[in-house]
Amino acid sequence: MSSPSLSLFLRSSLEELKQNGLYNEIDALQGGNGPMIQIKNRPLINLSSNNYLGLAGDERLIAAAERALRQYGVGAGAVRTINGTMDVHEELEEKLARFKQTEAAIAYQSGFNCNMAAISAVMDAGDAILSDELNHASIIDGCRLSRAKVIRYKHSDMENLERQAKAAKESGQYAKIMVITDGVFSMDGDIAKLPAIVDIAERYDLITYVDDAHGSGVLGKGAGTVKHFGLSDRVDFQIGTLSKAIGVVGGYVAGRRELIEWLKARSRPFLFSTAAPPAIAAACVAALDILTGSAELQERLWHNAAYFRQGLERIGFRTGPTETPIIPCIIGEEKLTQQFSRELREEGVYAKAIVFPTVPKGLGRIRNMPTAAHTTAMLDEALGIYENVKKRMGLKE
Ligand SMILES: *Cc1c(COP(=O)(O)O)cnc(C)c1O
């Protein structure tokens, strides 16, 4: 029997979620997360994955993982600092450093725990962190864990950032000050103003931390947002994930040798959580080899993204300030947006609705992520379905 206070808490909290339309039903996929997915025996055009380059189902990654499974077994058997570090983990870190054009890199089990690890290894009570108000949840949690004072600045508002950076610096209250931003913001697909952020950072001695989960493999010929702006030697922490464009799972920090050395000595998930399975590391190595060997997948991704965005605009939808393959289709009112997503699904397109409080009220949208693996025929079919649903629901514009 569970505790009465727990039961009461769970029942009333779940009820509240459901009443506010915030309860998420999870649909299991019957197979891989490719350009087409199957749910409840029904094939659907998939516009909701982060599998930007289609690498999650790539034969070359599968073969590399299979070979490593045979060679090393399934689990790593220990944390990295005891004896869970295998040569394939080190190979991955060397390749990541080369990919990001930094001196060194450290790999973690996920992007989420990378932010838990890296921020608190360097920042502490007595420090301050300037954080974009739209930063990812794992950054928010990582900041909280560090016990540093968190100062939020308005989204991509450089005047606001500079004013708060100046005030923090001049207060003399903080031993160290860091500025943290997503490289690409996942709800609108806009890119952080890194050149301005780096200038401000240099003016006020801020540590720079860029979480490029949605930019790595996508921007800067694959190397990410920092490379896109030519700032590789002016950013202290380049965070990335191996779970999105790379198609596998994991996270990493790329930076100066001394920083990586410190993270290997002090970051808690590296010290206290078992190393990623070696087959996962091997698949990531294969993905990086593909990315550094050819730009073909990126080119196809950007081509498909432009094609899909232009298609939506031709039908009369607004797509907002996106600069990347994240393509919102703004519907507006919350219930209408959710209905739109359900109707798309009925017709054969899987694309999730994103509404308040994740985005501002009245700006509900369907978030589309076309990938390199979609064919033009799939995108055309999806656009046709968008057009039909728009007509049927009587939406204007
Ligand atoms: C997705 C994401 C993460 C989490 O990465 P995982 O590898 O999925 O744990 C962290 N930061 C940002 C900005 C993200 O978009």
Side-chain angles (χ1 to χ4, degrees):
M1 208 187 86
S2 79
S3 113
S5 56
L6 175 63
S7 298
L8 183 65
F9 164 76
L10 294 176
R11 206 166 310 137
S12 62
S13 306
L14 284 168
E15 191 51 42
E16 193 184 323
L17 279 185
K18 285 174 187 168
Q19 263 172 10
N20 293 331
L22 296 175
Y23 185 79
N24 185 27
E25 299 281 352
I26 293 173
D27 306 304
L29 306 193
Q30 299 160 306
N33 202 346
M36 300 291 299
I37 51 176
Q38 184 170 304
I39 296 173
K40 298 192 172 109
N41 299 320
R42 174 128 198 253
L44 297 160
I45 300 169
N46 176 20
L47 291 171
S48 283
S49 86
N50 297 317
N51 183 16
Y52 287 107
L53 301 173
L55 289 173
D58 191 283
E59 286 301 330
R60 293 164 287 185
L61 272 69
I62 295 170
E66 276 177 350
R67 276 195 304 275
L69 268 176
R70 289 286 148 215
Q71 185 180 347
Y72 301 91
V74 181
V79 304
R80 290 286 305 273
T81 49
I82 306 287
N83 65 357
T85 296
M86 289 147 179
D87 46 12
V88 65
H89 293 111
E90 293 194 331
E91 186 186 357
L92 172 60
E93 289 170 337
E94 281 158 23
K95 291 228 153 118
L96 283 169
R98 227 169 301 145
F99 181 57
K100 289 282 165 174
Q101 298 179 318
T102 58
E103 288 174 5
I106 176 172
Y108 294 95
Q109 303 88 340
S110 80
F112 199 104
N113 93 355
C114 175
N115 280 326
M116 298 295 104
I119 301 170
S120 60
V122 170
M123 304 305 281
D124 206 342
D127 296 329
I129 301 174
L130 295 150
S131 176
D132 188 291
E133 64 183 349
L134 294 189
N135 277 344
H136 188 260
S138 59
I139 295 178
I140 295 168
D141 288 9
C143 289
R144 214 180 273 159
L145 195 60
S146 76
R147 299 183 300 166
K149 163 90 178 160
V150 178
I151 305 167
R152 297 199 329 163
Y153 63 90
K154 291 210 178 80
H155 174 53
S156 281
D157 181 336
M158 294 300 108
E159 191 268 325
N160 188 257
L161 169 62
E162 172 144 27
R163 188 153 40 78
Q164 303 209 65
K166 185 165 190 282
K169 188 72 190 168
E170 287 174 359
S171 76
Q173 279 182 58
Y174 305 111
K176 304 192 274 325
I177 307 173
M178 176 183 269
V179 56
I180 302 193
T181 182
D182 278 23
V184 171
F185 291 88
S186 62
M187 293 305 146
D188 284 307
D190 54 321
I191 303 174
K193 295 177 178 160
L194 289 188
I197 291 174
V198 167
D199 280 345
I200 293 169
E202 288 172 356
R203 214 165 307 141
Y204 300 101
D205 183 26
L206 313 179
I207 301 164
T208 44
Y209 188 110
V210 178
D211 179 351
D212 207 22
H214 283 279
S216 294
V218 173
L219 282 160
K221 300 209 182 344
T225 311
V226 172
K227 169 84 186 302
H228 169 74
F229 288 115
L231 297 169
S232 300
D233 56 351
R234 291 170 69 195
V235 168
D236 296 305
F237 290 73
Q238 289 195 54
I239 311 302
T241 149
L242 299 163
S243 334
K244 290 175 178 149
I246 303 300
V248 192
V249 70
Y252 58 90
V253 183
R256 293 206 182 282
R257 192 170 311 285
E258 235 178 359
L259 169 66
I260 303 307
E261 216 178 296
W262 176 250
L263 293 175
K264 286 187 169 176
R266 270 293 178 275
S267 56
R268 294 170 71 82
F270 194 83
L271 296 163
F272 300 113
S273 181
T274 297
I280 293 301
C284 293
V285 167
L288 291 175
D289 287 344
I290 293 169
L291 285 191
T292 46
S294 149
E296 190 196 330
L297 290 175
Q298 272 103 33
E299 281 160 14
R300 229 181 304 151
L301 168 66
W302 283 88
H303 175 269
N304 282 348
Y307 185 84
F308 195 74
R309 182 180 183 182
Q310 283 156 14
L312 283 177
E313 287 172 353
R314 197 164 342 102
I315 301 169
F317 286 111
R318 285 182 299 147
T319 56
T322 182
E323 305 165 78
T324 62
I326 297 172
I327 303 178
C329 174
I330 314 278
I331 305 293
E333 198 266 325
E334 288 66 37
K335 288 225 156 59
L336 199 66
T337 308
Q338 276 158 340
Q339 190 195 338
F340 200 99
S341 171
R342 278 195 301 275
E343 303 250 347
L344 286 174
R345 165 102 177 252
E346 282 299 308
E347 301 280 331
V349 169
Y350 192 91
K352 278 277 192 195
I354 301 195
V355 298
F356 180 80
T358 309
V359 294
K361 242 195 178 90
L363 282 182
R365 77 274 315 265
I366 311 289
R367 191 174 61 155
N368 299 286
M369 295 155 98
T371 71
H374 286 87
T375 62
T376 306
M378 290 173 196
L379 297 179
D380 283 338
E381 191 181 341
L383 288 168
I385 291 170
Y386 259 95
E387 191 163 19
N388 288 344
V389 171
K390 177 169 183 270
K391 273 195 202 124
R392 197 166 58 234
M393 287 178 61
L395 299 188
K396 287 188 215 48
E397 280 185 308

